[in-house]
Amino acid sequence: MDASAATSVEPVASGATSKPQRPWLRQRSGSVGERAIELGLAACSLVSIVVTIGIVVVLLYEASGFFAHVSLGEFLGDTMWTPTFTDNQHFGVWPLVVGTLMTATIAMSVALPFGLLAAIYLSEYAAPRTRRMLKPALELLAGVPTIVYGFFALTVVTPFLQGWLPELGGFNALSPGIVMGIMIIPMVSSLSEDAIYAVPDSIREAAYGLGASKLPTIFRVIVPSAWSGIAAAMTLAVSRAIGETMIVAIAAGQSNTLSFDPRGQTETMTAYIVRIAQGDLPTGSIGYQSIFAVGLVLFVMTLTMNLVSYRLSRKLRARNRT
Amino acid sequence: MRDTDVPAAKMSTRGLQAWFGKQQVLKGIDLDISARRVTAIIGPSGCGKSTFIRCLNRMHELIPGAGSSGTVTLDDANVYDPAVDPVMLRRRVGMVFQKPNPFPSMSIRDNVLAGLKLTKSLNKRRPAEVVEKALRQAALWDEVKDKLDKPGTSLSGGQQQRLCIARTLAVEPEVVLMDEPCSALDPIATARIEDLLHTLRDDYTIIIVTHNLQQATRVSQRTAFFLTGECVEYADTDRLFTSPGDRRTEDYITGKFG
Ligand SMILES: Nc1ncnc2c1ncn2[C@@H]1O[C@H](COP(=O)(O)OP(=O)(O)O)[C@@H](O)[C@H]1O
Ligand SMILES: [Mg+2]
């Protein structure tokens, strides 16, 4: 280094040697094998983008057929949803939206506290070995097919809850909501745990150095420091709850009218889509087209949640870097 | 003790040993830390300076696998006595870390109050007064008094470190441990913290680890030289740097190693 800096021609010479390096670097990926692999990889990522765009286009196209018959005002203004009736048809999407939000809220009120507490335990209390074993075990829960959860809600949880709440119907919002929450716990705890674990030890040390004990350190320093990551986990979980289908289709029942009672039957957007898609309504009928309008609402809702989650986790990453 | 004017010891260690797992990093340290003085700890990196001061407020034991033996006293009471709650000890022996570490979720004001809030000791005191006093003591008040609600992490590195000092002082500790508090700061920010140390030593017993020998001569009255887990020499700062009593101290301060 010193010697090269001493000779005045050196900068020019080093400039000259750095020039042929670039084409040489590019040539490497120019070899036929590498090029093919690169193209293959690009094609793979392109496929998922194209498919996504295709889904949106189909949704929009089919929904436009629905909105040719039904005004947006009726869709968002009416509180009855009976597109499959032969007479007295109503096209107000609210019963489905409320059903969806109600089951999702019940699910979140189960998943949020338990998921967060599990995450705190894993990150702050569990010994490294326990953590290494428990975390994958918990994540395994997410691999149970949702239909199993659905039957669990219908045949175990509902009868159990009826022992406490006699007025609870055989089909209701409460039981699938709770079971959905249980299903989402691993997701919430795993993502929250990542966020909590990522809080630098220097923050923990600062709190302990001030004479704080463990519990206030966790709840008033560490969890707030990880908040954007936890919030990102929560929004992803909400979006999962909104999109969940099998559990509610099996255990929540059907409903055409606006109801806020979790003890009675309710129908979510997803459950409605399944019911109609499995039925024998002719393609092109208004009932058939209605599932695409509902699908569009569902898509917009989950997309919004995922965008919020993405922005939150990006904020977290930006802050952890500093 | 040939040194003149040595006040009563605020903290003392006797035969202090420390380990990380099987690796012994302190091999029996005997040291008396004078009250209301700045004591500097110098030595090459890895010699156990941080571990030593972390034993003084029992932060060392928080690291999995870390252990220690020997005695550490604060006002003649053994801080490793089973009856002593380390949490209470740390309110009397505060700590400022190498890298500024303000709480990212808190405003400047809440950072200063954090120690009191986290230990539920804010009850009777007026928060606004506590905040102003601590920030003035840390020579940060004039720079932040108009933006107390901004996040603590929005400040510059030097300001963040002074915020961390204010946060430590707000708890009103008796001893303040500083682990290379200026190593992440530029010379101007460093000078401000050194000025600050001169004013703080009237009220606090300060122990500062530093790898900067000039800094030790500028801020401290007593200096301990550590080498591979032992305290080689401990004397008045002037004497240690002008006429070191040990060959290894001389080699280190003249830059022969480290
Ligand atoms: N968390 C830790 N785990 C294991 N060993 C450590 C840890 N921290 C420090 N050490 C080891 O202990 C010795 C002393 O470290 P430290 O007290 O940090 O030295 P200094 O502050 O003088 O640079 C070093 O050899 C270091 O590698
Ligand atoms: Mg150190």
Side-chain angles (χ1 to χ4, degrees):
Chain A
M1 260 323 257
D2 282 348
S4 65
T7 49
S8 60
V9 272
E10 213 43 41
V12 181
S14 74
T17 49
S18 75
K19 249 182 198 166
Q21 271 184 356
R22 287 224 176 120
W24 180 77
L25 266 178
R26 209 182 282 158
Q27 261 175 9
R28 267 211 317 194
S29 59
S31 87
V32 182
E34 299 244 0
R35 194 93 190 107
I37 290 171
E38 196 181 316
L39 274 174
L41 293 174
C44 289
S45 53
L46 210 65
V47 164
S48 65
I49 296 172
V50 167
V51 167
T52 310
I53 294 174
I55 290 170
V56 175
V57 167
V58 170
L59 262 181
L60 284 174
Y61 175 77
E62 295 283 355
S64 72
F66 175 82
F67 285 113
H69 292 274
V70 178
S71 75
L72 202 61
E74 184 178 3
F75 189 61
L76 299 176
D78 202 334
T79 57
M80 286 265 287
W81 178 255
T82 57
T84 54
F85 285 16
T86 39
D87 48 31
N88 194 22
Q89 276 186 327
H90 285 273
F91 298 99
V93 78
W94 287 110
L96 300 184
V97 172
V98 167
T100 302
L101 293 180
M102 186 160 63
T103 48
T105 306
I106 295 167
M108 287 312 292
S109 55
V110 171
L112 194 148
F114 285 99
L116 193 55
L117 290 176
I120 288 171
Y121 170 74
L122 282 177
S123 168
E124 304 296 314
Y125 286 95
R129 253 195 68 201
T130 322
R131 178 173 182 266
R132 271 202 308 277
M133 284 163 54
L134 262 183
K135 213 183 166 200
L138 208 57
E139 278 160 11
L140 219 62
L141 264 185
V144 176
T146 56
I147 191 150
V148 176
Y149 284 105
F151 277 109
F152 178 64
L154 184 68
T155 60
V156 179
V157 178
T158 297
F160 174 79
L161 288 175
Q162 277 167 333
W164 302 79
L165 289 169
E167 61 276 48
L168 192 72
F171 293 103
N172 61 76
L174 187 62
S175 161
I178 290 172
V179 171
M180 208 152 81
I182 294 171
M183 181 193 71
I184 299 171
I185 287 174
M187 175 187 183
V188 171
S189 69
S190 180
L191 292 174
S192 307
E193 200 264 354
D194 291 341
I196 293 171
Y197 199 72
V199 173
D201 273 342
S202 64
I203 300 300
R204 290 178 183 82
E205 293 215 310
Y208 292 134
L210 288 168
S213 30
K214 193 160 187 170
L215 223 51
T217 299
I218 289 172
F219 283 99
R220 302 181 66 171
V221 175
I222 295 172
V223 168
S225 301
W227 191 244
S228 53
I230 294 170
M234 294 307 168
T235 38
L236 269 184
V238 172
S239 133
R240 179 85 172 77
I242 289 173
E244 170 50 35
T245 309
M246 236 33 237
I247 300 174
V248 279
I250 290 172
Q254 284 180 30
S255 169
N256 307 318
T257 53
L258 199 56
S259 162
F260 295 91
D261 185 357
R263 292 167 303 185
Q265 292 202 31
T266 195
E267 187 157 31
T268 66
M269 296 189 274
T270 49
Y272 172 79
I273 293 172
V274 170
R275 180 161 66 87
I276 301 306
Q278 285 177 334
D280 45 12
L281 284 174
T283 317
S285 71
I286 189 73
Y288 177 81
Q289 285 172 331
S290 73
I291 67 175
F292 291 95
V294 173
L296 195 62
V297 174
L298 193 60
F299 180 78
V300 169
M301 276 170 78
T302 48
L303 185 70
T304 312
M305 297 306 294
N306 288 358
L307 280 178
V308 168
S309 160
Y310 172 76
R311 295 199 69 140
L312 284 172
S313 54
R314 230 182 31 171
K315 208 175 114 193
L316 176 82
R317 233 173 291 138
R319 206 171 60 184
N320 277 353
R321 225 181 288 123
T322 56
Chain B
M1 290 264 155
R2 286 183 297 144
D3 299 315
T4 52
D5 181 34
V6 179
K10 181 72 181 173
M11 293 195 85
S12 299
T13 69
R14 290 292 176 267
L16 178 62
Q17 308 193 13
W19 290 265
F20 286 106
K22 290 203 172 69
Q23 183 199 0
Q24 183 169 14
V25 296
L26 292 180
K27 299 169 184 166
I29 307 279
D30 301 332
L31 219 58
D32 292 314
I33 308 293
S34 308
R36 291 167 205 274
R37 291 288 185 278
V38 177
T39 303
I41 315 254
I42 60 169
S45 94
C47 69
K49 306 180 295 294
S50 298
T51 307
F52 174 72
I53 63 166
R54 290 168 64 90
C55 284
L56 298 183
N57 70 343
R58 297 184 58 174
M59 290 286 284
H60 177 65
E61 66 200 53
L62 293 177
I63 297 168
S68 65
S69 74
T71 59
V72 176
T73 58
L74 172 65
D75 291 337
D76 296 325
N78 186 3
V79 304
Y80 281 93
D81 190 294
V84 171
D85 182 356
V87 163
M88 296 309 290
L89 170 71
R90 290 179 203 128
R91 295 179 202 176
R92 295 176 66 194
V93 184
M95 189 157 201
V96 175
F97 299 84
Q98 191 163 352
K99 229 180 112 215
N101 54 358
F103 297 125
S105 60
M106 295 185 197
S107 65
I108 293 171
R109 176 188 288 111
D110 287 340
N111 261 286
V112 177
L113 293 174
L116 295 174
K117 283 189 176 169
L118 289 170
T119 58
K120 295 204 168 63
S121 1
L122 194 61
N123 38 22
K124 281 201 203 85
R125 292 185 241 179
R126 298 237 185 95
E129 283 166 21
V130 172
V131 169
E132 178 168 350
K133 182 173 170 218
L135 286 171
R136 279 192 191 283
Q137 279 186 309
L140 188 60
W141 174 251
D142 290 330
E143 290 157 65
V144 302
K145 62 170 184 263
D146 299 321
K147 48 175 179 181
L148 293 174
D149 291 316
K150 291 261 168 62
T153 44
S154 66
L155 299 171
S156 72
Q159 289 173 324
Q160 287 190 18
Q161 192 62 304
R162 275 178 285 147
L163 177 62
C164 293
I165 292 173
R167 178 175 69 184
T168 301
L169 298 181
V171 186
E172 301 189 339
E174 298 155 46
V175 180
V176 179
L177 311 171
M178 298 185 162
D179 192 354
E180 305 196 23
C182 302
S183 63
L185 306 183
D186 62 55
I188 295 171
T190 300
R192 301 207 58 155
I193 294 199
E194 289 181 8
D195 288 344
L196 177 59
L197 286 172
H198 289 129
T199 62
L200 291 180
R201 75 161 190 250
D202 296 335
D203 300 312
Y204 300 93
T205 300
I206 296 170
I207 304 171
I208 179 170
V209 171
T210 176
H211 61 252
N212 178 337
L213 300 182
Q214 276 75 37
Q215 182 169 63
T217 62
R218 284 192 300 261
V219 303
S220 73
Q221 286 80 56
R222 301 272 294 171
T223 297
F225 170 57
F226 276 40
L227 192 61
T228 56
E230 288 173 88
C231 178
V232 171
E233 191 165 357
Y234 180 43
D236 281 353
T237 301
D238 295 343
R239 225 199 60 212
L240 188 127
F241 280 96
T242 50
S243 53
D246 192 291
R247 183 61 194 274
R248 291 167 292 175
T249 315
E250 188 175 341
D251 286 350
Y252 182 68
I253 62 180
T254 53
K256 294 225 173 80
F257 68 94

